Amino acid sequence: MIERVVAIAAACAVLTLSGKPAAEVPPQIAFRLDYQANLPGRGCPNADEFGLILAGEFGYLLVRDDAAATLRIETRTNGRGIEAELSAPNPAGEGEWRRVITSQDCRELVYDAATLIRIRFGPGGWEGEEPPPWLLAPPRFEVELPELRMEMPPAFLDSMAGEPSEAPLTPWEGTAPLWAQRAPAAEEKTPFQVEAALGAALTPYGLPSVALGGNLFAQARWARFAIGGDIRAVTTLSSDIGDGDLQGRVSLYTFAVLPCVVTRHIDFCAIGSGSLMRFDLEAPAALQRADASSAGFGLRLAPRLALSSVFSLVGYVDGTIETRKINLRTSGSNEPGVLPPPDWISPNIRLSLGIALSANLLQ
C-alpha cells in the first residue's frame, strides 16, 4: 500500500510541474500497455495502477494510446511463486526485448517489473544516446478553448427578479482534465479465504495400538488469523488390546475447533476437541462398556506448501490432553462392589498427525 501511494504521489507531482519549457525536457518514451494479470485473489495491481507505478519510476505518464511501441506484461503461477514475462517488440520487426522475473508476492513482482523497465528504457539505458524513434513519445498538442460569454436579455432578467439564480456553467466548467480524473479503483483482494481439505490421519499414541484413518476440515482464513473445524476417524491396525488376551478393534471419532495464528509457512493453532471411542471385540458378550466419550485441549502445528493459487498441501501434528481416562473391563468380580483391574486404560495424552490436500473455494 505504501509503494502505491508513493508512486501515485510521484506521478501527480510530475504532472503538476510539467508546464516548464519543452527545451528542458529530455526525450521521453511511450508505450501502449498490454497487461495480463490473471491471478484473482493474489493482490495483483490492475492495468491503470501499473501505469501509475511506471509513472512514478519514469517521472511522467509513459502509457499512451497513441504510442507506436507496445509493452506486454503477463503474470502467471510458477510452482511455489509467481512469474512475470516482460516483452517490448520493435514494430519494425528488428528484435525484441524480453525478460522473465519471479517473486512470491504479485505486488512486489509488479514493482520489480517497473524497476526493470526503467533500468532498460530510462535515461540510463541509452548511454547518452537518444532512444530509437519507435520508442519516442508522440508530441502533445494543446488547444486553448475560447472563453464563452453569455449575456441574457434585460427583459428575461426582469422576469426572473426576486428569484434566486445560479450562474450558468460553461461546457467545460466542472469537468476535470483527463489526467486529474481518478483512475479506476484497483481490484480488491478477497478479504478472507475459505478452504476445505481432505487427507489421511494417523494416531500413534492414545489408543491400544497405532490407528489409521482420514480427516476432513474446513477453515476461514484471513491475513494473520484463521478459524476452522476438523472431523477425524481412525481405527487401530492391531487387534491386540491391553496386556491380556483381549482381541478386537478400537475406533476413535474426533471433532475439533481450531483457532489459529497464521504465518507465511506454518499455522499455530489451539485445539478444543470432543471424542467418542468405540470397541469392537471378538467376544462382545463379555464387554461391559461399548463406548466412551472424552474432551480434550491442546496445540496443533500445521505447515503449508502452496502448489498453486488454488491448491495447497497441508500437514499437521496434534497433541491434546484428555480430561478423563477411559477404562475397558470385560469381566466383573465375584465379590459384590469389587471391580477387577481394567483390561486397558487410555492415557491422558493423545498424539495425532496427518497430511491433506487443501482447496481455496473462493477462487
Side-chain angles (χ1 to χ4, degrees), residues 170-224:
T170 67
W172 295 275
E173 287 183 1
T175 303
L178 290 178
W179 58 264
Q181 295 179 13
R182 192 170 75 179
E187 180 181 335
E188 292 293 336
K189 186 177 181 180
T190 306
F192 68 96
Q193 297 179 348
V194 175
E195 289 187 353
L198 180 67
L202 181 72
T203 301
Y205 185 76
L207 296 176
S209 63
V210 175
L212 183 65
N215 73 303
L216 171 68
F217 68 87
Q219 277 189 328
R221 298 178 62 84
W222 290 264
R224 292 289 179 265

Side-chain angles (χ1 to χ4, degrees), residues 4 8 43-50 107 183-189:
R4 178 183 177 186
I8 295 174
C44 297
N46 63 12
D48 295 310
E49 187 178 355
F50 183 67
R107 183 165 293 274
E187 180 181 335
E188 292 293 336
K189 186 177 181 180

Side-chain angles (χ1 to χ4, degrees), residues 229-315:
D230 182 290
I231 299 174
R232 182 167 59 238
V234 294
T235 301
T236 54
L237 300 179
S238 173
S239 60
D240 295 330
I241 300 178
D243 297 330
D245 297 330
L246 190 62
Q247 299 290 309
R249 304 284 182 180
V250 179
S251 300
L252 180 68
Y253 306 93
T254 305
F255 173 77
V257 176
L258 303 160
C260 304
V261 175
V262 174
T263 65
R264 186 170 185 178
H265 297 296
I266 190 170
D267 296 351
F268 299 88
C269 306
I271 300 176
S273 67
S275 62
L276 180 66
M277 194 178 298
R278 297 188 61 87
F279 304 96
D280 184 14
L281 305 182
E282 295 183 3
L287 182 63
Q288 290 188 345
R289 194 164 194 173
D291 54 48
S293 60
S294 176
F297 58 92
L299 296 174
R300 167 177 288 191
L301 300 181
R304 304 173 61 87
L305 175 63
L307 303 178
S308 68
S309 60
V310 177
F311 295 103
S312 299
L313 195 62
V314 183

Side-chain angles (χ1 to χ4, degrees), residues 6-36:
V6 171
I8 295 174
C12 293
V14 170
L15 291 170
T16 303
L17 300 177
S18 61
K20 61 183 180 179
E24 300 179 12
V25 180
Q28 296 182 352
I29 68 170
F31 285 109
R32 295 173 184 266
L33 183 60
D34 182 3
Y35 179 79
Q36 303 293 331

